[in-house]
Amino acid sequence: MAPGSSCAAWTFRHTVTLVPMNALKIAVSTVTTARLSPALAQSMTLWGGMGTDAYFVPTATLGLSARVGQLGGAQVSVRGTAGLGVLPIPDATGPLTLLAADVLFSGATGPLNAHGGPGVAFVPGVSAVLVGVAGGVQGRFGQGAWGWFAEGKLRYAFSTAGGCGLVLPGADLGVRYRF
């Protein structure tokens, strides 16, 4: 990075390659080749949680996923999420909106269910795109539809106007309700 340049506050100054777009193409092609089943597509899950995005930005999220098929021994789901993050800096003008989509592959690992897969997110009004992966575990509260999840994510953020990118780790902890 050149002296005096900055990637803070979503100011980007270096060229980005199209490598993240290849990851998105792989995710889309994986979903389209999964064996689709109408019975599986009816399984919906509501996700709600608190966590961090971009290292330390506190974020509240709400999402909805639908199981769309089976790929080998893994269930395939598509999840859409909306989040609000609070930038802990004095001149922040309000919450940061985040819209995300993930392709999740999941399977049972004993009493827990492991999940993970690629995703893409957008920050409207800031011209930022984030691509990366999420992965975690989920469990149930008793035998009912309510459960919990813990998830880690690693994203690469870049500006659609060009510039340098940032690697952004994050984590979420929350509850889920399976319909």
Side-chain angles (χ1 to χ4, degrees):
M1 187 178 304
S5 63
S6 171
C7 286
W10 301 105
T11 302
F12 298 91
R13 301 197 189 281
H14 294 281
T15 305
V16 175
T17 65
L18 292 178
V19 172
M21 209 46 143
N22 288 338
L24 182 59
K25 287 178 185 175
I26 291 169
V28 170
S29 96
T30 301
V31 170
T32 57
T33 59
R35 184 171 37 103
L36 296 179
S37 162
L40 290 176
Q42 294 176 8
S43 178
M44 306 283 285
T45 303
L46 181 65
W47 306 71
M50 299 292 290
T52 62
D53 265 300
Y55 299 98
F56 58 87
V57 175
T59 307
T61 60
L62 185 62
L64 185 65
S65 67
R67 199 171 347 156
V68 295
Q70 189 87 14
L71 185 62
Q75 296 175 358
V76 181
S77 298
V78 177
R79 177 177 65 183
T81 307
L84 289 177
V86 179
L87 291 174
I89 55 177
D91 46 335
T93 59
L96 190 64
T97 304
L98 183 74
L99 303 174
D102 300 296
V103 176
L104 298 176
F105 301 91
S106 63
T109 58
L112 300 177
N113 194 23
H115 68 272
V120 62
F122 303 95
V123 183
V126 184
S127 299
V129 176
L130 295 83
V131 293
V133 295
V137 294
Q138 34 183 311
R140 293 192 310 188
F141 297 126
Q143 298 300 317
W146 286 98
W148 59 271
F149 71 95
E151 185 173 277
K153 51 195 163 197
L154 186 61
R155 295 177 171 153
Y156 180 77
F158 60 94
S159 170
T160 56
C164 68
L166 298 171
V167 175
L168 304 174
D172 285 315
L173 181 61
V175 294
R176 63 171 178 74
Y177 182 83
R178 188 160 284 160
F179 297 95

